[in-house]
Every structure is written in C-alpha cells, then in structure tokens.
Amino acid sequence: MGTVAVVNPGGTIEVDVEDGEIPSVRMLSTHYSPAAGDLVEIMRTSGGWVCLGRISTGIPSGAVVDMRAGVVSVPVASGAANNIGSADISFPAVRGDSFYGVATINSGSLQLVAGPPGITSVTSTSATVYVRRTASGNNTNVHWAVFGVKE
C-alpha cells in the first residue's frame, strides 16, 4: 500500500511507500484515473510493480450503498379504463442517507403513475406503488427496487 506521488504521462505512477518510492508502477485497470495523494494498493509481480487500484477511505457521495427489490401484486378495479390501484410495500431496512425507488410492469393495459415513475413515499423500510388501468383487466404484478444512496 502506498500514496501516489506522481502521475506519469505514459500510464504509470510513482508511489511513495513506507521505505521510499517505487517509480513506474503500471496501472492494472484503465477505469481508474489516479491523482497525486490517492491511497493505492500495489503488488510486486514477476514483471514489476502494478497498481491494483485506489483504496477507498469512505463511501463516495452519490454511491448506492444498499438495495432491496421485489414483486408486488397491485389490485386495480376491473372494468373501465383509468382506474388507479396502489399497494404499500415494506422491506428490511435499506442503509443510506436518501432513498429512491423504481418500478416497472409488463402489461399493455396498465401504466405506472404518480411518482418517479409509479413509486412514491419511499423510506428506508417502505414505499407505495401506483398503477393506472388503460383498458379493462385485473390486478398486475409490479417489479420494484429501492436504493439507499450516500449523500
């Protein structure tokens, strides 16, 4: 483990370690854009030193830290179009600072309504799913997911 001292233009970095500096450490992945001061994990191989990636010192803002998902049957009165049905869902607590939900259905006669889209009142343990009937029919299954996000 070490700290990035210099980012070289050829795709290598120089890393400060406890007993000195290691020059020309190759990057294992192109997905990581190193910056001076990053704490990184390095490993010595038969071909030289490689950087495995940055070591996180905390959860970055905007990261999804937890998720719950499921399927709920939403009752919608049969008959005329434009009837709206809803179902409350509950789940084990989701970790995070803010909570967001998504929902989807597989039906030509129903559509999700109210909320972003079709799921509202999202908390760490519950939410409400809404469906509007666009033609005659019965209940429908709604697939949902709730995400906890680090602020």
Side-chain angles (χ1 to χ4, degrees):
M1 181 171 23
T3 303
V4 175
V6 176
V7 178
N8 298 318
T12 63
I13 57 176
E14 295 177 23
V15 179
D16 286 335
V17 294
E18 192 173 286
D19 57 350
E21 185 176 279
I22 302 172
S24 300
V25 176
R26 293 185 323 246
M27 302 303 301
L28 186 61
S29 172
T30 59
H31 300 291
Y32 167 59
S33 297
D38 284 355
L39 184 62
V40 293
E41 186 65 48
I42 56 175
M43 181 174 76
R44 186 174 196 144
T45 68
S46 60
W49 288 90
V50 294
C51 175
L52 303 176
R54 186 172 69 90
I55 297 175
S56 179
T57 56
I59 299 170
S61 179
V64 172
V65 293
D66 206 359
M67 175 188 146
R68 301 286 182 269
V71 177
V72 63
S73 179
V74 178
V76 181
S78 61
N82 292 320
N83 289 339
I84 294 177
S86 67
D88 293 326
I89 54 176
S90 60
F91 38 86
V94 175
R95 294 173 293 133
D97 298 322
S98 298
F99 309 99
Y100 301 91
V102 295
T104 186
I105 58 176
N106 186 14
S107 172
S109 64
L110 297 164
Q111 65 182 197
L112 294 166
V113 297
I119 189 167
T120 63
S121 306
V122 180
T123 71
S124 66
T125 59
S126 65
T128 302
V129 176
Y130 290 89
V131 173
R132 174 183 290 140
R133 180 164 309 292
T134 57
S136 61
N138 295 318
N139 301 354
T140 192
N141 287 334
V142 176
H143 300 263
W144 59 268
V146 170
F147 304 90
V149 175
K150 170 77 173 163
E151 294 296 331

